[in-house]
Amino acid sequence: MRPFLLGAMPCLLLAQAPPLSFDDILQRARTSPGQFRVEALLAERHRALSGTQGFLREGPSLGYSAGPRTNPAAPTTTDQSVDLDLPLFLSPATRHRLEEALGQAHPALREAAKIETGFRLRQAYLDAWLAERLLQLREADLTTVQAWLKAAQARLEAGAEPGFQASLVEGEVLRTQADLDESRRQRLNAWAGLRAMADVPRSPVPLADPGDAQILPADGLQARFEAGALRQAIQSRLNLEQQALRHQEALAGSRWSLRGSYAKEGEERIGKIGLAYRFSRPGEGRAIHRETEATLQAAKRELEIVLLELDARFQSAWTRLQTAPPPTRFKGFDRSLMAVSLRLSEGKERPSEALPIRRQLLEAQAASYRRLQAAHLLSAELQALTSEVNP
């Protein structure tokens, strides 16, 4: 008996495990591809900046050579030489502007990626929660319609109902089973979306109810959006791209190098220092400038489009906040469905009359779940759009 109890203990604990709340899922969140892309961008800009430290456009080059000197009248000796090449970067102001832009963009881009990832995680959680509730609704609906089918068949055998009434319920059972299969597929898809963003179990588990939606006050939302982290990140990204392109242009146009060498030739010691200049090919400078300007205009236009899309997101959320009624739960579903079932079993309602009523009640309950999800999504999106950069 004791081994049986020990083996059943994990199953009992699993069965008693509370539903996963959003806070639980938030603690299991994975790093999103967007966050990795931001880190890669910042690392690439830091690498370009570190390559031009001081007055160098890249690391110094050190060369060493040695070889024998043969003289018939003297013993053989070895000549040695050390060469040093220092490529110069004579645009410190350009590097300083890139350093300032990178310092401003670093917290803004990271915070914006974190906020957007949190919103997408909240959206995935709400999608999975809605899919779970709709699945439960379809499962209960199938049980109800199957009970109605038994009642209709019993009345048919008693001669109290014509045959087409039972056929109507039988057809509704087939339709309900198809709806249930579709709800199962949608729940698995929604769970896969949540699992891609958080370390949750492979198979779907119950999710906690999100509770009542928090309605944000409309006062000051526009000003908070204008100063929000997502909008600031776009401006910081544009400034960073501009300074990075100017920095690349200055690197491509740098042609001076500082050269030095020290040689040992027999008993002689020779030291040299000087400058080197690389002449550009015809049209090279103009081509570099045209390429930089074209790339800069493309980056500006792309970020302008992103900014317009962000403004559209806010305007859409703002409109929904002002026009959408507050979400209310549909409380009459269970009582109304029970009353219809009772009237059907007592013969006071025919299946042809009860089935449309049941369908309307079912759609009303599903709409109640969808409205609650939409209200939570609206609140989460407005919070994301108006969040500030943490100092």
Side-chain angles (χ1 to χ4, degrees):
M1 180 63 69
R2 180 173 298 177
F4 173 76
L5 293 176
L6 292 177
M9 187 64 67
C11 298
L12 294 174
L13 293 177
L14 182 62
Q16 297 174 358
L20 283 178
S21 65
F22 179 70
D23 291 336
D24 298 330
I25 296 174
L26 192 60
Q27 295 176 359
R28 307 180 182 187
R30 305 178 191 269
T31 305
S32 68
Q35 291 176 292
F36 281 125
R37 283 192 291 268
V38 167
E39 293 299 327
L41 173 68
L42 294 174
E44 193 276 332
R45 296 294 181 258
H46 275 292
R47 180 180 61 81
L49 189 65
S50 62
T52 56
Q53 290 182 351
F55 289 95
L56 298 179
R57 68 172 182 267
E58 59 185 31
S61 176
L62 182 65
Y64 173 79
S65 60
R69 172 182 291 192
T70 303
N71 189 345
T76 301
T77 60
T78 300
D79 293 343
Q80 300 176 358
S81 65
V82 178
D83 300 312
L84 182 64
D85 185 5
L86 301 173
L88 298 179
F89 182 72
L90 303 179
S91 300
T94 303
R95 184 189 185 280
H96 181 67
R97 287 191 293 268
L98 175 59
E99 187 176 10
E100 288 185 344
L102 186 57
Q104 295 173 359
H106 197 278
L109 294 181
R110 277 187 167 180
E111 187 69 18
K114 180 181 178 182
I115 291 172
E116 192 66 25
T117 299
F119 169 67
R120 298 302 174 191
L121 179 62
R122 180 78 174 179
Q123 185 178 25
Y125 156 72
L126 290 172
D127 289 343
W129 171 82
L130 176 62
E132 178 186 347
R133 292 298 180 269
L134 293 180
L135 176 60
Q136 294 174 352
L137 188 62
R138 296 297 180 185
E139 289 174 344
D141 184 49
L142 179 60
T143 302
T144 299
V145 180
Q146 287 174 342
W148 287 14
L149 178 59
K150 293 180 180 179
Q153 289 174 344
R155 291 181 60 81
L156 175 62
E157 294 174 355
E161 294 286 359
F164 75 90
Q165 292 288 349
S167 298
L168 286 176
V169 184
E170 186 177 359
E172 193 66 18
V173 170
L174 296 176
R175 179 179 178 180
T176 304
Q177 288 175 339
D179 292 340
L180 178 59
D181 291 340
E182 178 64 19
S183 295
R184 286 170 178 163
R185 185 188 65 83
Q186 292 178 356
R187 190 197 183 189
L188 289 176
N189 290 339
W191 189 260
L194 179 61
R195 190 164 175 261
M197 303 191 66
D199 186 15
V200 294
R202 181 183 298 271
S203 300
V205 297
L207 296 175
D209 193 286
D212 296 331
Q214 179 183 2
I215 305 300
L216 297 180
D219 297 339
L221 278 182
Q222 182 69 39
R224 289 170 58 188
F225 167 69
E226 296 290 338
L230 297 183
R231 193 178 179 89
Q232 284 188 16
I234 296 175
Q235 301 291 345
S236 299
R237 176 69 180 272
L238 178 58
N239 185 34
L240 179 61
E241 293 298 325
Q242 288 177 340
Q243 302 308 325
L245 288 171
R246 296 304 181 194
H247 185 261
Q248 292 178 6
E249 183 182 18
L251 276 175
S254 297
R255 311 197 188 286
W256 288 98
S257 296
L258 181 64
R259 301 286 181 84
S261 64
Y262 177 79
K264 175 184 177 183
E265 299 179 359
E267 299 297 330
E268 298 179 354
R269 304 291 186 271
I270 302 172
K272 297 179 181 179
I273 188 172
L275 292 174
Y277 180 82
R278 183 184 66 83
F279 290 92
S280 62
R281 291 171 294 182
E284 181 181 356
R286 291 191 300 272
I288 292 174
H289 182 70
R290 286 198 304 268
E291 179 186 358
T292 301
E293 292 300 324
T295 307
L296 180 57
Q297 292 302 320
K300 284 183 178 180
R301 186 56 186 153
E302 289 174 356
L303 292 176
E304 284 175 0
I305 294 174
V306 173
L307 189 60
L308 290 174
E309 292 174 349
L310 187 66
D311 291 340
R313 281 180 59 185
F314 176 75
Q315 293 302 325
S316 175
W318 173 265
T319 303
R320 282 178 283 149
L321 179 64
Q322 293 180 321
T323 58
T328 55
R329 298 178 183 267
F330 184 48
K331 300 179 180 180
F333 175 73
D334 294 330
R335 293 195 303 270
S336 300
L337 189 61
M338 187 179 299
V340 174
S341 299
L342 183 61
R343 289 178 62 85
L344 183 67
S345 63
E346 294 176 350
K348 298 178 181 179
E349 204 82 55
R350 289 189 169 185
S352 59
E353 299 169 341
L355 288 177
I357 297 176
R358 172 200 133 272
R359 174 66 59 177
Q360 292 177 356
L361 291 173
L362 186 69
E363 294 301 326
Q365 182 70 2
S368 174
Y369 288 145
R370 291 189 178 96
R371 286 188 59 187
L372 182 60
Q373 183 219 25
H376 278 282
L377 276 178
L378 176 60
S379 177
E381 187 166 20
L382 284 174
Q383 288 177 358
L385 290 171
T386 57
S387 296
E388 299 179 353
V389 179
N390 293 325

